[in-house]
Amino acid sequence: MARGARRLWGTGAYVVALVVTACWLAGQPAAERARFVRHNSSNVHHIDVGKWWTLFTSGLVVDGVPVVVGIGAVAAVLGCAEWRWGTARALGVFLYGHLAATLLTEGTLWVAHATRVLHVPTRARDVGISYGLVTTGACLLALAGGRLRRHALPLLAVALAVACAVDQALADAGHLISVGLGVLAAGTPWLRDRAAAHSGRVAAPRWR
């Protein structure tokens, strides 16, 4: 247990931060919870006024799923990644997915708003753990090889594509982007060689 705690300290720290935030929000009145989410959403308005820190604080709020489910998913997926790749790589992939997917979705809306090409909601609610979670999960599947990569990864992409087509929500588009980000990350030597070393096999060829 002590060895596991040392190897998974990054996952543990993030899970603790999510639990503390969730417990604090649960004890607040509805108006305070709404204010906290509003001020920590990484939306067009906050990008426009330079509140870039919301890109990070938005990842402290579990949104869209029950808190226990969301935190459990983070513990499982990020914990698996940290065990296989090490703390720096696991947290790096999670943060890369969270930031890149957020910037690609909200950044596109910001450009549309700035150029007045489209009328877009500037103060939308945009918090959650899902972009980093999906990116890390997709990266794990892409590096797993065998049936997981051949079957589970396409099934994940199809399921998210269906959700995007049905709901037509910005977050669903972000989840699809996150799958692509995870596959791209899996093709880097930084992760590919580490995953191969962990499993004791020859590194897979680079993604083309």
Short mmCIF file of all heavy atoms in Angstrom, two decimals, residues 148-208:
data_model
loop_
_atom_site.label_atom_id
_atom_site.label_comp_id
_atom_site.label_asym_id
_atom_site.label_seq_id
_atom_site.Cartn_x
_atom_site.Cartn_y
_atom_site.Cartn_z
N LEU A 148 -7.87 -4.06 -27.28
CA LEU A 148 -8.29 -2.78 -26.69
C LEU A 148 -8.14 -1.66 -27.70
O LEU A 148 -9.04 -0.82 -27.85
CB LEU A 148 -7.46 -2.49 -25.44
CG LEU A 148 -7.94 -3.14 -24.14
CD1 LEU A 148 -6.98 -2.82 -23.01
CD2 LEU A 148 -9.34 -2.71 -23.79
N ARG A 149 -7.01 -1.61 -28.38
CA ARG A 149 -6.81 -0.54 -29.35
C ARG A 149 -7.68 -0.74 -30.59
O ARG A 149 -8.21 0.22 -31.14
CB ARG A 149 -5.33 -0.45 -29.76
CG ARG A 149 -5.03 0.80 -30.58
CD ARG A 149 -3.56 0.99 -30.80
NE ARG A 149 -3.03 0.08 -31.80
CZ ARG A 149 -1.73 0.01 -32.12
NH1 ARG A 149 -0.86 0.76 -31.49
NH2 ARG A 149 -1.32 -0.82 -33.04
N ARG A 150 -7.85 -1.99 -31.00
CA ARG A 150 -8.61 -2.27 -32.23
C ARG A 150 -10.10 -2.08 -32.04
O ARG A 150 -10.80 -1.67 -32.97
CB ARG A 150 -8.34 -3.70 -32.72
CG ARG A 150 -6.96 -3.91 -33.32
CD ARG A 150 -6.94 -5.18 -34.15
NE ARG A 150 -7.34 -6.34 -33.36
CZ ARG A 150 -6.49 -7.12 -32.67
NH1 ARG A 150 -5.20 -6.82 -32.68
NH2 ARG A 150 -6.92 -8.17 -32.01
N HIS A 151 -10.61 -2.37 -30.84
CA HIS A 151 -12.05 -2.36 -30.63
C HIS A 151 -12.53 -1.27 -29.67
O HIS A 151 -13.47 -0.55 -29.97
CB HIS A 151 -12.52 -3.73 -30.14
CG HIS A 151 -12.17 -4.86 -31.05
ND1 HIS A 151 -12.60 -4.92 -32.36
CD2 HIS A 151 -11.40 -5.96 -30.86
CE1 HIS A 151 -12.14 -6.01 -32.94
NE2 HIS A 151 -11.40 -6.67 -32.05
N ALA A 152 -11.88 -1.17 -28.49
CA ALA A 152 -12.37 -0.24 -27.47
C ALA A 152 -12.20 1.21 -27.90
O ALA A 152 -13.10 2.04 -27.66
CB ALA A 152 -11.65 -0.49 -26.15
N LEU A 153 -11.09 1.52 -28.53
CA LEU A 153 -10.86 2.91 -28.94
C LEU A 153 -11.86 3.36 -30.00
O LEU A 153 -12.46 4.44 -29.86
CB LEU A 153 -9.42 3.07 -29.42
CG LEU A 153 -8.96 4.51 -29.74
CD1 LEU A 153 -9.10 5.40 -28.52
CD2 LEU A 153 -7.50 4.50 -30.22
N PRO A 154 -12.11 2.59 -31.07
CA PRO A 154 -13.15 2.99 -32.03
C PRO A 154 -14.54 3.07 -31.40
O PRO A 154 -15.33 3.95 -31.74
CB PRO A 154 -13.08 1.90 -33.10
CG PRO A 154 -11.70 1.36 -33.02
CD PRO A 154 -11.36 1.42 -31.56
N LEU A 155 -14.84 2.14 -30.48
CA LEU A 155 -16.15 2.18 -29.82
C LEU A 155 -16.31 3.45 -29.00
O LEU A 155 -17.39 4.05 -28.99
CB LEU A 155 -16.32 0.95 -28.92
CG LEU A 155 -16.68 -0.36 -29.62
CD1 LEU A 155 -16.69 -1.51 -28.62
CD2 LEU A 155 -18.05 -0.24 -30.31
N LEU A 156 -15.24 3.86 -28.31
CA LEU A 156 -15.29 5.11 -27.55
C LEU A 156 -15.55 6.29 -28.48
O LEU A 156 -16.39 7.15 -28.20
CB LEU A 156 -13.97 5.30 -26.80
CG LEU A 156 -13.80 6.63 -26.07
CD1 LEU A 156 -14.83 6.78 -24.95
CD2 LEU A 156 -12.38 6.76 -25.50
N ALA A 157 -14.84 6.33 -29.61
CA ALA A 157 -15.01 7.43 -30.56
C ALA A 157 -16.42 7.44 -31.13
O ALA A 157 -17.04 8.51 -31.28
CB ALA A 157 -13.98 7.32 -31.68
N VAL A 158 -16.96 6.27 -31.47
CA VAL A 158 -18.31 6.19 -32.04
C VAL A 158 -19.35 6.63 -31.02
O VAL A 158 -20.28 7.38 -31.34
CB VAL A 158 -18.61 4.76 -32.53
CG1 VAL A 158 -20.09 4.60 -32.85
CG2 VAL A 158 -17.76 4.43 -33.76
N ALA A 159 -19.20 6.17 -29.77
CA ALA A 159 -20.16 6.54 -28.72
C ALA A 159 -20.16 8.05 -28.51
O ALA A 159 -21.24 8.67 -28.38
CB ALA A 159 -19.81 5.83 -27.42
N LEU A 160 -19.00 8.67 -28.49
CA LEU A 160 -18.93 10.12 -28.30
C LEU A 160 -19.44 10.87 -29.53
O LEU A 160 -20.03 11.94 -29.40
CB LEU A 160 -17.48 10.53 -28.00
CG LEU A 160 -16.93 10.03 -26.66
CD1 LEU A 160 -15.47 10.39 -26.50
CD2 LEU A 160 -17.74 10.58 -25.49
N ALA A 161 -19.24 10.30 -30.73
CA ALA A 161 -19.75 10.92 -31.95
C ALA A 161 -21.28 10.89 -31.96
O ALA A 161 -21.93 11.87 -32.37
CB ALA A 161 -19.19 10.22 -33.18
N VAL A 162 -21.85 9.78 -31.51
CA VAL A 162 -23.31 9.68 -31.43
C VAL A 162 -23.86 10.69 -30.43
O VAL A 162 -24.85 11.37 -30.69
CB VAL A 162 -23.73 8.25 -31.04
CG1 VAL A 162 -25.22 8.19 -30.72
CG2 VAL A 162 -23.40 7.28 -32.17
N ALA A 163 -23.20 10.79 -29.27
CA ALA A 163 -23.63 11.77 -28.26
C ALA A 163 -23.56 13.18 -28.82
O ALA A 163 -24.45 14.01 -28.57
CB ALA A 163 -22.77 11.64 -27.01
N CYS A 164 -22.51 13.47 -29.59
CA CYS A 164 -22.36 14.80 -30.19
C CYS A 164 -23.46 15.07 -31.20
O CYS A 164 -24.01 16.18 -31.25
CB CYS A 164 -20.98 14.91 -30.85
SG CYS A 164 -20.61 16.55 -31.51
N ALA A 165 -23.81 14.06 -32.02
CA ALA A 165 -24.85 14.23 -33.03
C ALA A 165 -26.22 14.41 -32.39
O ALA A 165 -27.05 15.17 -32.89
CB ALA A 165 -24.85 13.03 -33.97
N VAL A 166 -26.46 13.72 -31.28
CA VAL A 166 -27.77 13.79 -30.62
C VAL A 166 -27.92 15.08 -29.83
O VAL A 166 -28.92 15.80 -29.95
CB VAL A 166 -27.97 12.57 -29.71
CG1 VAL A 166 -29.24 12.73 -28.87
CG2 VAL A 166 -28.05 11.28 -30.54
N ASP A 167 -26.94 15.37 -28.97
CA ASP A 167 -27.04 16.54 -28.08
C ASP A 167 -26.62 17.84 -28.75
O ASP A 167 -27.10 18.91 -28.38
CB ASP A 167 -26.18 16.32 -26.84
CG ASP A 167 -26.67 15.14 -26.01
OD1 ASP A 167 -27.85 14.81 -26.10
OD2 ASP A 167 -25.85 14.57 -25.26
N GLN A 168 -25.68 17.75 -29.69
CA GLN A 168 -25.15 18.93 -30.38
C GLN A 168 -24.68 20.00 -29.38
O GLN A 168 -24.93 21.18 -29.55
CB GLN A 168 -26.20 19.51 -31.34
CG GLN A 168 -26.59 18.56 -32.45
CD GLN A 168 -27.55 19.17 -33.44
OE1 GLN A 168 -28.03 20.29 -33.27
NE2 GLN A 168 -27.85 18.42 -34.49
N ALA A 169 -23.98 19.53 -28.36
CA ALA A 169 -23.46 20.43 -27.32
C ALA A 169 -21.97 20.63 -27.52
O ALA A 169 -21.27 19.79 -28.07
CB ALA A 169 -23.73 19.85 -25.93
N LEU A 170 -21.49 21.78 -27.04
CA LEU A 170 -20.08 22.10 -27.17
C LEU A 170 -19.20 21.08 -26.46
O LEU A 170 -18.16 20.68 -26.97
CB LEU A 170 -19.81 23.50 -26.62
CG LEU A 170 -18.36 24.01 -26.73
CD1 LEU A 170 -17.98 24.20 -28.19
CD2 LEU A 170 -18.21 25.31 -25.96
N ALA A 171 -19.65 20.63 -25.29
CA ALA A 171 -18.86 19.66 -24.53
C ALA A 171 -18.71 18.35 -25.29
O ALA A 171 -17.66 17.71 -25.23
CB ALA A 171 -19.51 19.41 -23.18
N ASP A 172 -19.74 17.94 -26.02
CA ASP A 172 -19.66 16.70 -26.79
C ASP A 172 -18.62 16.82 -27.90
O ASP A 172 -17.88 15.88 -28.18
CB ASP A 172 -21.02 16.35 -27.38
CG ASP A 172 -22.04 16.01 -26.31
OD1 ASP A 172 -21.69 15.24 -25.39
OD2 ASP A 172 -23.17 16.52 -26.38
N ALA A 173 -18.57 17.98 -28.55
CA ALA A 173 -17.52 18.21 -29.55
C ALA A 173 -16.15 18.18 -28.90
O ALA A 173 -15.19 17.64 -29.45
CB ALA A 173 -17.75 19.55 -30.24
N GLY A 174 -16.06 18.74 -27.70
CA GLY A 174 -14.79 18.71 -26.96
C GLY A 174 -14.35 17.30 -26.61
O GLY A 174 -13.16 17.00 -26.61
N HIS A 175 -15.31 16.41 -26.34
CA HIS A 175 -14.97 15.03 -26.03
C HIS A 175 -14.40 14.32 -27.26
O HIS A 175 -13.44 13.54 -27.15
CB HIS A 175 -16.21 14.28 -25.54
CG HIS A 175 -16.72 14.80 -24.24
ND1 HIS A 175 -18.05 14.73 -23.87
CD2 HIS A 175 -16.08 15.42 -23.21
CE1 HIS A 175 -18.20 15.27 -22.69
NE2 HIS A 175 -17.03 15.69 -22.26
N LEU A 176 -14.96 14.59 -28.42
CA LEU A 176 -14.42 14.01 -29.65
C LEU A 176 -13.01 14.52 -29.92
O LEU A 176 -12.11 13.76 -30.31
CB LEU A 176 -15.33 14.35 -30.84
CG LEU A 176 -16.50 13.42 -31.11
CD1 LEU A 176 -17.32 13.94 -32.28
CD2 LEU A 176 -16.01 12.00 -31.39
N ILE A 177 -12.82 15.81 -29.70
CA ILE A 177 -11.48 16.39 -29.85
C ILE A 177 -10.51 15.73 -28.87
O ILE A 177 -9.36 15.44 -29.21
CB ILE A 177 -11.52 17.91 -29.62
CG1 ILE A 177 -12.28 18.58 -30.77
CG2 ILE A 177 -10.13 18.50 -29.48
CD1 ILE A 177 -12.57 20.05 -30.54
N SER A 178 -10.99 15.45 -27.68
CA SER A 178 -10.14 14.84 -26.65
C SER A 178 -9.66 13.45 -27.06
O SER A 178 -8.53 13.06 -26.75
CB SER A 178 -10.90 14.77 -25.32
OG SER A 178 -11.22 16.07 -24.85
N VAL A 179 -10.53 12.70 -27.74
CA VAL A 179 -10.11 11.38 -28.22
C VAL A 179 -8.93 11.54 -29.20
O VAL A 179 -7.92 10.83 -29.10
CB VAL A 179 -11.26 10.64 -28.91
CG1 VAL A 179 -10.77 9.36 -29.59
CG2 VAL A 179 -12.35 10.30 -27.90
N GLY A 180 -9.07 12.48 -30.13
CA GLY A 180 -7.98 12.73 -31.06
C GLY A 180 -6.71 13.18 -30.37
O GLY A 180 -5.60 12.76 -30.74
N LEU A 181 -6.85 14.02 -29.35
CA LEU A 181 -5.68 14.47 -28.60
C LEU A 181 -4.98 13.30 -27.89
O LEU A 181 -3.76 13.24 -27.83
CB LEU A 181 -6.10 15.52 -27.57
CG LEU A 181 -6.58 16.87 -28.13
CD1 LEU A 181 -7.16 17.73 -27.00
CD2 LEU A 181 -5.45 17.60 -28.83
N GLY A 182 -5.79 12.39 -27.37
CA GLY A 182 -5.21 11.23 -26.71
C GLY A 182 -4.45 10.33 -27.67
O GLY A 182 -3.37 9.83 -27.34
N VAL A 183 -5.00 10.13 -28.86
CA VAL A 183 -4.33 9.32 -29.88
C VAL A 183 -3.03 9.99 -30.32
O VAL A 183 -2.00 9.33 -30.51
CB VAL A 183 -5.26 9.07 -31.08
CG1 VAL A 183 -4.52 8.38 -32.23
CG2 VAL A 183 -6.46 8.22 -30.65
N LEU A 184 -3.07 11.31 -30.50
CA LEU A 184 -1.85 12.04 -30.87
C LEU A 184 -0.77 11.90 -29.79
O LEU A 184 0.40 11.69 -30.10
CB LEU A 184 -2.18 13.51 -31.10
CG LEU A 184 -2.93 13.86 -32.38
CD1 LEU A 184 -3.29 15.34 -32.39
CD2 LEU A 184 -2.09 13.52 -33.61
N ALA A 185 -1.18 12.02 -28.53
CA ALA A 185 -0.22 11.90 -27.44
C ALA A 185 0.40 10.51 -27.40
O ALA A 185 1.59 10.35 -27.11
CB ALA A 185 -0.90 12.21 -26.10
N ALA A 186 -0.41 9.50 -27.72
CA ALA A 186 0.08 8.12 -27.69
C ALA A 186 1.16 7.88 -28.75
O ALA A 186 1.96 6.95 -28.62
CB ALA A 186 -1.07 7.15 -27.91
N GLY A 187 1.19 8.71 -29.79
CA GLY A 187 2.18 8.54 -30.84
C GLY A 187 3.51 9.20 -30.57
O GLY A 187 4.44 9.07 -31.37
N THR A 188 3.64 9.88 -29.43
CA THR A 188 4.90 10.56 -29.12
C THR A 188 5.88 9.59 -28.45
O THR A 188 5.46 8.74 -27.65
CB THR A 188 4.65 11.75 -28.18
OG1 THR A 188 4.10 11.27 -26.94
CG2 THR A 188 3.67 12.75 -28.81
N PRO A 189 7.17 9.70 -28.74
CA PRO A 189 8.16 8.83 -28.08
C PRO A 189 8.12 8.95 -26.56
O PRO A 189 8.42 8.00 -25.84
CB PRO A 189 9.49 9.32 -28.65
CG PRO A 189 9.14 9.96 -29.95
CD PRO A 189 7.79 10.57 -29.75
N TRP A 190 7.78 10.14 -26.07
CA TRP A 190 7.73 10.40 -24.62
C TRP A 190 6.81 9.41 -23.91
O TRP A 190 7.09 8.97 -22.79
CB TRP A 190 7.25 11.83 -24.41
CG TRP A 190 7.35 12.34 -23.00
CD1 TRP A 190 8.48 12.44 -22.24
CD2 TRP A 190 6.28 12.83 -22.19
NE1 TRP A 190 8.19 12.98 -21.00
CE2 TRP A 190 6.84 13.23 -20.95
CE3 TRP A 190 4.91 12.99 -22.39
CZ2 TRP A 190 6.08 13.76 -19.92
CZ3 TRP A 190 4.15 13.54 -21.37
CH2 TRP A 190 4.74 13.91 -20.15
N LEU A 191 5.70 9.04 -24.57
CA LEU A 191 4.77 8.08 -23.98
C LEU A 191 4.93 6.69 -24.55
O LEU A 191 4.86 5.70 -23.83
CB LEU A 191 3.32 8.55 -24.19
CG LEU A 191 2.84 9.67 -23.29
CD1 LEU A 191 1.46 10.13 -23.74
CD2 LEU A 191 2.78 9.21 -21.85
N ARG A 192 5.15 6.60 -25.85
CA ARG A 192 5.20 5.30 -26.51
C ARG A 192 6.33 4.44 -25.95
O ARG A 192 6.14 3.26 -25.64
CB ARG A 192 5.38 5.50 -28.02
CG ARG A 192 5.22 4.22 -28.84
CD ARG A 192 5.48 4.47 -30.31
NE ARG A 192 6.87 4.83 -30.55
CZ ARG A 192 7.29 6.04 -30.89
NH1 ARG A 192 6.41 7.02 -31.02
NH2 ARG A 192 8.57 6.29 -31.10
N ASP A 193 7.51 5.03 -25.80
CA ASP A 193 8.64 4.27 -25.29
C ASP A 193 8.46 3.88 -23.83
O ASP A 193 8.86 2.80 -23.40
CB ASP A 193 9.93 5.08 -25.46
CG ASP A 193 10.25 5.34 -26.94
OD1 ASP A 193 9.67 4.64 -27.80
OD2 ASP A 193 11.07 6.23 -27.22
N ARG A 194 7.86 4.78 -23.05
CA ARG A 194 7.61 4.48 -21.64
C ARG A 194 6.60 3.34 -21.50
O ARG A 194 6.78 2.44 -20.67
CB ARG A 194 7.09 5.73 -20.94
CG ARG A 194 6.67 5.53 -19.49
CD ARG A 194 7.84 5.12 -18.62
NE ARG A 194 7.44 5.02 -17.23
CZ ARG A 194 8.24 4.62 -16.26
NH1 ARG A 194 9.48 4.29 -16.53
NH2 ARG A 194 7.82 4.55 -15.03
N ALA A 195 5.54 3.37 -22.31
CA ALA A 195 4.53 2.31 -22.25
C ALA A 195 5.13 0.98 -22.66
O ALA A 195 4.83 -0.07 -22.08
CB ALA A 195 3.36 2.67 -23.15
N ALA A 196 5.99 1.00 -23.68
CA ALA A 196 6.63 -0.22 -24.13
C ALA A 196 7.56 -0.79 -23.05
O ALA A 196 7.61 -1.99 -22.82
CB ALA A 196 7.41 0.04 -25.41
N ALA A 197 8.29 0.08 -22.38
CA ALA A 197 9.19 -0.35 -21.31
C ALA A 197 8.41 -0.96 -20.16
O ALA A 197 8.81 -1.95 -19.55
CB ALA A 197 10.03 0.81 -20.83
N HIS A 198 7.24 -0.37 -19.84
CA HIS A 198 6.43 -0.87 -18.73
C HIS A 198 5.88 -2.25 -19.02
O HIS A 198 5.80 -3.11 -18.15
CB HIS A 198 5.27 0.10 -18.45
CG HIS A 198 4.39 -0.32 -17.31
ND1 HIS A 198 3.34 -1.20 -17.47
CD2 HIS A 198 4.43 0.00 -15.99
CE1 HIS A 198 2.76 -1.39 -16.29
NE2 HIS A 198 3.40 -0.68 -15.39
N SER A 199 5.49 -2.49 -20.29
CA SER A 199 4.89 -3.77 -20.64
C SER A 199 5.91 -4.81 -21.07
O SER A 199 5.59 -5.97 -21.29
CB SER A 199 3.88 -3.57 -21.78
OG SER A 199 4.52 -3.05 -22.93
N GLY A 200 7.18 -4.36 -21.23
CA GLY A 200 8.22 -5.27 -21.62
C GLY A 200 8.19 -5.69 -23.07
O GLY A 200 8.69 -6.73 -23.46
N ARG A 201 7.58 -4.86 -23.92
CA ARG A 201 7.51 -5.19 -25.33
C ARG A 201 8.21 -4.13 -26.15
O ARG A 201 8.55 -3.06 -25.65
CB ARG A 201 6.05 -5.31 -25.80
CG ARG A 201 5.21 -4.08 -25.53
CD ARG A 201 3.76 -4.29 -25.96
NE ARG A 201 2.89 -3.25 -25.47
CZ ARG A 201 2.73 -2.07 -26.04
NH1 ARG A 201 3.41 -1.77 -27.12
NH2 ARG A 201 1.89 -1.18 -25.55
N VAL A 202 8.41 -4.42 -27.42
CA VAL A 202 9.02 -3.47 -28.34
C VAL A 202 8.06 -2.34 -28.59
O VAL A 202 6.85 -2.54 -28.73
CB VAL A 202 9.41 -4.15 -29.66
CG1 VAL A 202 10.01 -3.14 -30.63
CG2 VAL A 202 10.37 -5.30 -29.39
N ALA A 203 8.57 -1.10 -28.67
CA ALA A 203 7.71 0.06 -28.89
C ALA A 203 6.96 -0.08 -30.20
O ALA A 203 7.51 -0.53 -31.22
CB ALA A 203 8.55 1.34 -28.91
N ALA A 204 5.69 0.29 -30.16
CA ALA A 204 4.87 0.23 -31.38
C ALA A 204 5.32 1.29 -32.34
O ALA A 204 5.91 2.31 -31.96
CB ALA A 204 3.40 0.45 -31.00
N PRO A 205 5.08 1.12 -33.64
CA PRO A 205 5.46 2.14 -34.60
C PRO A 205 4.68 3.42 -34.37
O PRO A 205 3.59 3.40 -33.82
CB PRO A 205 5.09 1.51 -35.95
CG PRO A 205 4.07 0.48 -35.62
CD PRO A 205 4.43 -0.04 -34.27
N ARG A 206 5.25 4.52 -34.80
CA ARG A 206 4.59 5.81 -34.61
C ARG A 206 3.31 5.88 -35.43
O ARG A 206 3.18 5.26 -36.48
CB ARG A 206 5.52 6.94 -35.05
CG ARG A 206 6.78 7.03 -34.21
CD ARG A 206 7.59 8.25 -34.61
NE ARG A 206 8.82 8.31 -33.83
CZ ARG A 206 9.68 9.31 -33.92
NH1 ARG A 206 9.44 10.32 -34.75
NH2 ARG A 206 10.78 9.32 -33.20
N TRP A 207 2.38 6.68 -34.92
CA TRP A 207 1.14 6.92 -35.67
C TRP A 207 1.47 7.70 -36.93
O TRP A 207 2.28 8.59 -36.93
CB TRP A 207 0.15 7.72 -34.82
CG TRP A 207 -0.37 6.93 -33.66
CD1 TRP A 207 0.16 6.91 -32.40
CD2 TRP A 207 -1.46 6.04 -33.64
NE1 TRP A 207 -0.55 6.07 -31.61
CE2 TRP A 207 -1.55 5.52 -32.32
CE3 TRP A 207 -2.39 5.61 -34.59
CZ2 TRP A 207 -2.53 4.61 -31.95
CZ3 TRP A 207 -3.37 4.72 -34.22
CH2 TRP A 207 -3.42 4.22 -32.91
N ARG A 208 0.81 7.33 -38.00
CA ARG A 208 1.05 8.01 -39.27
C ARG A 208 -0.17 8.82 -39.65
O ARG A 208 -1.26 8.51 -39.28
CB ARG A 208 1.36 6.99 -40.37
CG ARG A 208 2.65 6.22 -40.07
CD ARG A 208 2.96 5.27 -41.21
NE ARG A 208 4.13 4.46 -40.90
CZ ARG A 208 5.37 4.83 -41.07
NH1 ARG A 208 5.63 6.02 -41.55
NH2 ARG A 208 6.37 4.03 -40.76
#
